[in-house]
Amino acid sequence: MNEKARLLRRREAVLTLAGLGLTGALGARASGVLGTPGAEAATTCVLSPEVTEGPYWIDNHLTRRDITEGRPGLPLELVLTVQDAKTCTAIKGADVELWHCDAVGVYSGYESGSAGGPGGQHAAPTDSDRYLRGHQKAGADGRARFLTIYPGWYRGRTPHIHLKVHVGGSVVHTGQLFFDEKTTAAVYRHAPYKAHGQPDTSHAEDMIYAQAGRSRATLTLARRSNGRKGYRGVITLGVAT
């Protein structure tokens, strides 16, 4: 083999190793959220599945990071990153909206226990409370941050959080977020959750959990830092704009 051929072969090997390193980095970034490692990983992200908004959504313009309004429960800090599902680029200014039930399974605006119309259609609010609801704009990194509480549960559903993503005034994603069941069981052994008991519906029994993508719609949880009580949950949402 002449010197030129050896140099070309060496260059190909270096480029191949560089490509493998990039694929590995993308694969790590993609874990649980984005596309699988491979030839398409650099240009294609996974679109987060759409699911029903449920009967308890209320149109509101409450832009706030802390949505607890003093509701009792274990603190939950959420960091939600919004990306374009085609390009994997962060969407600056995306408006993320959250709503979920409290520690004993009650939604604000529905304290009378209204169950919605046939097939889980939207129910008219019964009161003016709006705790555990709010919007937050994503920064330049596509991240929206919330402070809330670990949600409780209600009959027929595994514990979850509802969300919508608005871009340019339009809803581009309606989804739900879920929790590791072992973590939930541990949380529910303490007040104020203990009085309500353990959930009656597992992930396996919840049809919407499967529709939402199972692990892809499950928050990655870790204890909050600096001695703060509660959990920090993160997830990336791939949306079509």
Side-chain angles (χ1 to χ4, degrees), residues 29 36 48 52 69 83 93 111 122 144 156 170 173 190 208 234 241:
R29 180 184 176 202
T36 55
S48 297
T52 177
E69 288 193 18
Q83 292 184 341
E111 292 195 353
H122 185 262
S170 298
H173 177 68
H190 302 277
I208 296 176
V234 300
T241 58

Side-chain angles (χ1 to χ4, degrees), residues 39-99:
E40 297 179 354
T43 58
T44 303
C45 294
V46 173
L47 182 67
S48 297
E50 294 274 315
V51 297
T52 177
E53 70 178 30
Y56 301 126
W57 174 76
I58 298 176
D59 189 13
N60 70 78
H61 301 283
L62 299 170
T63 298
R64 54 190 182 175
R65 179 165 293 178
D66 186 339
I67 65 174
T68 59
E69 288 193 18
R71 213 66 183 172
L74 186 71
L76 176 64
E77 180 185 352
L78 294 173
V79 181
L80 312 178
T81 302
V82 183
Q83 292 184 341
D84 187 301
K86 292 183 179 179
T87 65
C88 301
T89 57
I91 301 179
K92 179 182 178 180
D95 180 2
V96 181
E97 176 185 5
L98 295 185
W99 70 101

Side-chain angles (χ1 to χ4, degrees), residues 30 45 50 55 126 135 150 154 200 216:
C45 294
E50 294 274 315
T126 61
H135 295 246
Y150 206 102
Y154 52 94
D200 71 346
R216 281 171 42 207

Side-chain angles (χ1 to χ4, degrees), residues 2-240:
N2 60 35
E3 183 65 21
K4 183 177 181 180
R6 280 196 296 269
L7 289 173
L8 287 172
R9 185 66 58 84
R10 182 173 181 276
R11 182 174 180 271
E12 289 171 359
V14 170
L15 290 174
T16 298
L17 289 172
L20 289 172
L22 177 60
T23 299
L26 287 168
R29 180 184 176 202
S31 178
V33 178
L34 304 179
T36 55
E40 297 179 354
T43 58
T44 303
C45 294
V46 173
L47 182 67
S48 297
E50 294 274 315
V51 297
T52 177
E53 70 178 30
Y56 301 126
W57 174 76
I58 298 176
D59 189 13
N60 70 78
H61 301 283
L62 299 170
T63 298
R64 54 190 182 175
R65 179 165 293 178
D66 186 339
I67 65 174
T68 59
E69 288 193 18
R71 213 66 183 172
L74 186 71
L76 176 64
E77 180 185 352
L78 294 173
V79 181
L80 312 178
T81 302
V82 183
Q83 292 184 341
D84 187 301
K86 292 183 179 179
T87 65
C88 301
T89 57
I91 301 179
K92 179 182 178 180
D95 180 2
V96 181
E97 176 185 5
L98 295 185
W99 70 101
H100 63 84
C101 68
D102 68 6
V104 294
V106 176
Y107 282 89
S108 63
Y110 297 95
E111 292 195 353
S112 68
S114 175
Q121 295 176 12
H122 185 262
T126 61
D127 58 73
S128 60
D129 288 336
R130 296 295 183 266
Y131 54 80
L132 306 178
R133 298 177 183 271
H135 295 246
Q136 192 64 222
K137 291 289 183 69
D141 56 3
R143 293 178 181 173
R145 295 172 171 83
F146 291 87
L147 181 62
T148 185
I149 62 168
Y150 206 102
W153 64 274
Y154 52 94
R155 189 172 300 278
R157 289 299 318 276
T158 194
H160 61 280
I161 290 176
H162 294 266
L163 66 86
K164 289 189 178 187
V165 178
H166 308 252
V167 176
S170 298
V171 176
V172 298
H173 177 68
T174 301
Q176 295 183 24
L177 305 177
F178 300 88
F179 300 83
D180 173 76
E181 290 182 295
K182 290 183 179 179
T183 302
T184 295
V187 170
Y188 287 2
R189 286 195 286 269
H190 302 277
Y193 307 91
K194 185 177 180 179
H196 192 47
Q198 294 292 326
D200 71 346
T201 304
S202 67
H203 286 353
E205 297 168 321
D206 190 299
M207 184 182 299
I208 296 176
Y209 173 73
Q211 293 173 349
R214 297 183 173 87
S215 62
R216 281 171 42 207
T218 301
L219 290 160
T220 299
L221 294 174
R223 292 284 186 180
R224 298 176 74 197
S225 60
N226 299 323
R228 293 176 296 175
K229 186 178 180 181
Y231 286 94
R232 183 176 188 265
V234 300
I235 198 167
T236 300
L237 305 167
V239 304

